[in-house]
Amino acid sequence: MTTRIFLRRGGAYSTARLSSLVRKTTTTARNLRPNEHLCRRCFYASVSTSSPSSKDDNDMNEKKKKPKQLSFHPLSFSGTKLCANMSMLSYWNCGQKGFLDAKIDETAAESNTKNLMEVEGKFGFEFVISNEPEMLRQKALSLCVIEEKEREMRTWLDFDDDGNDDDEGSSGSSSSSSNNNKPESRTLIVSLKEPNWVLVVFRGTTPNPQRGFFRESKINSRAGQVVWKDCPYENIEAKVHAGYANAFGIVRERVERDVVERVKRKIRESEEEKEESKTMPPRIVVTGHSLGGAMATLCAARLGNSEEIKKLGAKVSLISFGQPRVGDANFKTLFEKKENANNNEDNYCMDGYLRIVNEQDVFARVPPKSGIWIPEDVLETSLSSSIDAKQWTYQYEHAGDCVWYRDDGRILFREEPKGVSLRTVNPISIALDHSKYAKLFDDEGTKKNFPRAVCFHPERTDPKTICINCPDPKNDFRRRETKSI
């Protein structure tokens, strides 16, 4: 039985006819000029006699066909997922031609696609990161749009790679006196069109002897602290891990130079094109896994307190995965605007620092918070004399906001779990927990419980800005209110 709706003048319309009328009415209303005021009777009459012009139809179709641009905060779930995938992807050779091109013709170059993800040697743990590495590469590249020129002109610093697209090669000039030092680990710098980022990725330690295991193990083993000579403020005596400081110092000038050049270029191009969506300066996003997370922390500490970056109007965000401790309490203040004394906040341009830790990842708990580390050369030269242990003591503190995904399903926010699980004595469990970060963000539970980006903002002072999903105790009252509704 057809339901009829009787209008004011006695006319009757079926439900289907009325729905069609409403759709046409909405379309016509959008196309009316602001000075056209019609009474209800004339307006409905115009629906049956008028229709949008072909030009309007074309404009509407173009809007529908225009793809939605990727734009999200680095500390949001989407931003963190992109960083996780790129950090784990850096264990492969990102410097290869075509590696950052997601549009490789698989039918014409199937063998070439496989070679892109080929790993030298059989002792790496790339197979633990992903048993389908090509799928990982495609997934990482699907989360962003890399600028066309960057696919071939990206910066790739690699100890084992003698060639690069830049005139200085891939050695990475050092802030020290020697310019011939090669980078001790791998670093990728690439400019993204969507989202509007300059992305810096540091690779972690590989267990593959043929790809830098012994070299990178020496970096990690130098657990003693030294006064950081590259600290952005002369009045802050920050002490950092000796091995990380030396490894980052080799590539520091090259990384900072290339980042600044890309930021300036993106600003210049946006001004020339006058695109409203790109009027804001690009974000500088620094990320890394394991050893790469430690080097990313040193890099962000300088970029986030850089006078030049501040003048350009760019913001710096840091996301690390399974990152070890890097520095002491003074180093920690470089990421905390409120505690930066002596007007140092004038150059502060950090926009969040997030550490992601998966289950029982033991590498996030090293080096120990305190202890004594005596260099080998000191031991060799001081066997016959007493050693003053006070000068070799160290104190480490983590900085930034931490989201710790526990193996029991709980999520810890801004705190570390107490005690140690039996999983930490199982080398297989250690390898799985330490290399699972790309897979972690494929889980729907991770997305559901991930705190919003506003939770990690360094200027957040009001607990009300914390989202409902945030496990911070200050937000308990919001969860109680939600349950009572």
Side-chain angles (χ1 to χ4, degrees):
M1 179 177 181
T2 304
T3 303
R4 294 184 176 275
I5 299 177
F6 294 88
L7 301 182
R8 175 179 281 179
R9 290 189 175 273
Y13 291 94
S14 65
T15 305
R17 172 61 177 160
L18 184 62
S19 300
S20 175
L21 198 65
V22 170
R23 286 196 299 270
K24 291 182 179 180
T25 300
T26 305
T27 303
T28 304
R30 290 174 180 170
N31 291 281
L32 289 174
R33 294 193 301 272
N35 60 347
E36 286 186 346
H37 300 284
L38 302 176
C39 67
R40 179 178 297 180
R41 179 181 178 183
C42 295
F43 184 83
Y44 276 90
S46 67
V47 172
S48 58
T49 58
S50 65
S51 60
S53 63
S54 58
K55 180 180 179 181
D56 294 332
D57 285 337
N58 294 333
D59 293 340
M60 292 177 65
N61 292 332
E62 288 180 2
K63 290 181 179 179
K64 291 180 180 179
K65 293 179 181 179
K66 188 176 181 180
K68 184 179 179 181
Q69 291 188 343
L70 297 172
S71 178
F72 39 78
H73 193 279
L75 272 64
S76 65
F77 176 82
S78 298
T80 308
K81 181 178 181 179
L82 170 58
C83 291
N85 280 271
M86 293 300 293
S87 295
M88 305 312 293
L89 190 64
S90 65
Y91 282 90
W92 283 267
N93 185 5
C94 299
Q96 300 176 79
K97 184 177 181 181
F99 190 92
L100 299 178
D101 188 359
K103 298 180 180 179
I104 292 180
D105 187 359
E106 297 182 1
T107 58
E110 184 178 355
S111 59
N112 181 42
T113 304
K114 292 180 180 179
N115 291 335
L116 289 176
M117 309 306 291
E118 185 177 352
V119 178
E120 183 181 359
K122 301 180 181 180
F123 300 98
F125 73 143
E126 286 81 3
F127 71 93
V128 184
I129 296 174
S130 176
N131 56 358
E132 296 180 346
E134 175 58 22
M135 184 176 294
L136 173 64
R137 188 182 74 89
Q138 293 290 344
K139 182 178 65 173
L141 298 178
S142 68
L143 298 172
C144 61
V145 178
I146 297 177
E147 291 185 359
E148 194 72 30
K149 64 182 72 174
E150 288 286 299
R151 294 174 183 173
E152 300 299 333
M153 298 297 293
R154 73 283 172 273
T155 299
W156 177 245
L157 308 180
D158 188 354
F159 181 90
D160 301 316
D161 187 6
D162 295 329
N164 199 1
D165 299 312
D166 194 87
D167 56 344
E168 290 191 13
S170 61
S171 60
S173 58
S174 171
S175 57
S176 61
S177 58
S178 174
N179 290 326
N180 297 322
N181 291 337
K182 288 188 175 183
E184 295 185 347
S185 187
R186 295 177 174 180
T187 308
L188 171 68
I189 306 175
V190 65
S191 182
L192 306 184
K193 183 178 181 180
E194 298 177 21
N196 189 22
W197 293 1
V198 174
L199 183 63
V200 185
V201 184
F202 291 90
R203 194 199 72 174
T205 306
T206 174
N208 191 332
Q210 295 176 262
R211 301 177 62 238
F213 170 71
F214 296 111
R215 180 179 67 251
E216 293 163 356
S217 295
K218 291 181 180 179
I219 301 174
N220 296 317
S221 63
R222 296 178 62 188
Q225 286 182 333
V226 294
V227 176
W228 193 26
K229 63 179 181 179
D230 293 327
C231 181
Y233 301 114
E234 295 181 356
N235 58 343
I236 296 181
E237 189 177 279
K239 292 185 177 181
V240 298
H241 189 286
Y244 302 152
N246 182 73
F248 175 68
I250 295 175
V251 298
R252 180 183 66 80
E253 287 187 359
R254 174 67 184 280
V255 169
E256 292 178 357
R257 185 203 70 185
D258 286 10
V259 167
V260 171
E261 286 181 355
R262 281 171 169 81
V263 172
K264 289 181 178 179
R265 188 189 70 204
K266 289 175 77 72
I267 294 175
R268 183 173 62 253
E269 290 176 353
S270 64
E271 291 175 350
E272 294 174 354
E273 297 174 3
K274 295 182 179 179
E275 295 185 16
E276 296 181 0
S277 60
K278 294 185 179 180
T279 54
M280 295 295 293
R283 289 184 178 274
I284 301 172
V285 183
V286 190
T287 187
H289 170 255
S290 190
L291 165 64
M295 295 183 64
T297 305
L298 293 171
C299 178
R302 284 189 53 85
L303 293 176
N305 294 276
S306 167
E307 182 179 0
E308 187 171 14
I309 298 296
K310 181 75 173 180
K311 289 180 180 179
L312 293 173
K315 291 291 186 179
V316 180
S317 297
L318 169 61
I319 302 97
S320 65
F321 306 89
Q323 170 217 312
R325 298 184 179 98
V326 178
D328 63 356
N330 288 337
F331 177 76
K332 183 179 178 180
T333 61
L334 298 176
F335 299 95
E336 300 172 356
K337 181 178 180 181
K338 296 178 184 178
E339 297 184 15
N340 276 350
N342 302 323
N343 297 323
N344 288 336
E345 63 271 10
D346 292 342
N347 296 334
Y348 187 84
C349 50
M350 283 293 299
D351 189 30
Y353 171 11
L354 175 62
R355 291 186 297 111
I356 302 292
V357 184
N358 178 49
E359 299 184 7
Q360 295 296 330
D361 189 346
V362 296
F363 295 96
R365 303 189 185 205
V366 296
K369 293 183 179 180
S370 61
I372 299 175
W373 179 81
I374 303 177
E376 293 181 4
D377 55 345
V378 175
L379 286 174
E380 294 174 357
T381 58
S382 305
L383 290 176
S384 59
S385 60
S386 60
I387 299 176
D388 183 10
K390 291 183 179 179
Q391 62 177 318
W392 306 115
T393 59
Y394 59 78
Q395 299 285 335
Y396 281 104
E397 289 190 23
H398 265 311
D401 291 320
C402 177
V403 176
W404 197 303
Y405 288 88
R406 291 290 304 271
D407 51 358
D408 56 5
R410 292 185 298 151
I411 299 175
L412 300 180
F413 182 55
R414 293 200 177 107
E415 63 174 310
E416 296 185 11
K418 298 178 181 179
V420 180
S421 171
L422 293 176
R423 290 171 60 92
T424 57
V425 298
N426 186 342
I428 297 178
S429 298
I430 293 175
L432 291 173
D433 291 347
H434 189 57
S435 59
K436 194 181 176 182
Y437 289 95
K439 298 178 182 178
L440 177 65
F441 285 87
D442 290 335
D443 187 85
E444 286 297 324
T446 303
K447 181 177 182 180
K448 180 180 179 181
N449 298 316
F450 193 83
R452 296 177 185 173
V454 71
C455 299
F456 310 117
H457 200 282
E459 297 180 1
R460 179 186 60 77
T461 57
D462 184 5
K464 294 181 180 179
T465 60
I466 304 175
C467 68
I468 294 176
N469 290 334
C470 181
D472 193 291
K474 295 179 181 179
N475 201 35
D476 287 340
F477 73 96
R478 281 200 167 192
R479 283 189 285 272
R480 287 194 296 268
E481 291 178 358
T482 305
K483 290 181 180 179
S484 61
I485 295 177

